[in-house]
Amino acid sequence: MPTLFEKIVAGEIPATIVFRDDQVTAFRDINPKAPVHVLIVPNKPIPTVNDVSDDDERTLGHMFIVARDLAKQEGIAENGFRLIVNCNKHGGQEVYHLHMHLVGGAPLGPMLAGGKHG
Ligand code: AMP
């Protein structure tokens, strides 16, 4: 079964795409948690960080380059932003196609909310 994000990458489900190349696709989160909330996903469906292989090194590095450029494009680079990659149940991962959240546009508060280990 293709993941939701594979369908977005393939253009089978609509999304507001802000960047696309041969390695990654970036689109606006449907339920934004900040004024800017973009998801950067590898076109290749890697389920979680646990499934990353050495062959993915170039694509994963490229995701940071794209995040840098999108932060500038969205006007949030100077004030700052947060990059988040959730993994599995404790990480709160909902979509099992690895993705990087680029969030910003306002102060984001403490790194982890509601935890008892902070
Ligand atoms: P995560 O909890 O890290 O797996 O994040 C999944 C993210 O995907 C959430 O922030 C959702 O709001 C977002 N999301 C779910 N469905 C869509 C969609 N169709 N288009 C854009 N973003 C989505």
Side-chain angles (χ1 to χ4, degrees):
M1 276 282 284
T3 66
L4 174 66
F5 290 171
E6 266 182 282
K7 291 181 184 171
I8 288 175
V9 168
E12 293 165 12
I13 288 183
T16 306
I17 309 276
V18 294
F19 178 82
R20 187 203 294 278
D21 67 10
D22 61 326
Q23 292 181 77
V24 307
T25 301
F27 49 92
R28 298 205 186 279
D29 196 291
I30 203 166
N31 182 21
K33 307 289 192 302
V36 173
H37 189 168
V38 170
L39 301 175
I40 303 165
V41 316
N43 294 340
K44 170 189 168 186
I46 305 163
T48 79
V49 172
N50 291 332
D51 303 299
V52 162
S53 74
D54 291 357
D55 291 345
D56 299 322
E57 191 168 349
R58 187 164 161 267
T59 298
L60 296 171
H62 187 55
M63 287 167 68
F64 275 87
I65 300 296
V66 171
R68 175 201 67 190
D69 291 347
L70 286 176
K72 193 169 178 197
Q73 186 177 302
E74 297 285 328
I76 61 172
E78 194 171 326
N79 280 334
F81 53 88
R82 190 170 291 160
L83 299 174
I84 302 166
V85 180
N86 295 320
C87 180
N88 275 348
K89 192 169 60 176
H90 283 189
Q93 185 172 3
E94 292 170 4
V95 178
Y96 281 78
H97 182 140
L98 190 150
H99 50 281
M100 177 186 276
H101 298 254
L102 166 63
V103 285
L108 297 169
M111 188 171 69
L112 296 175
K116 32 180 183 173
H117 298 283

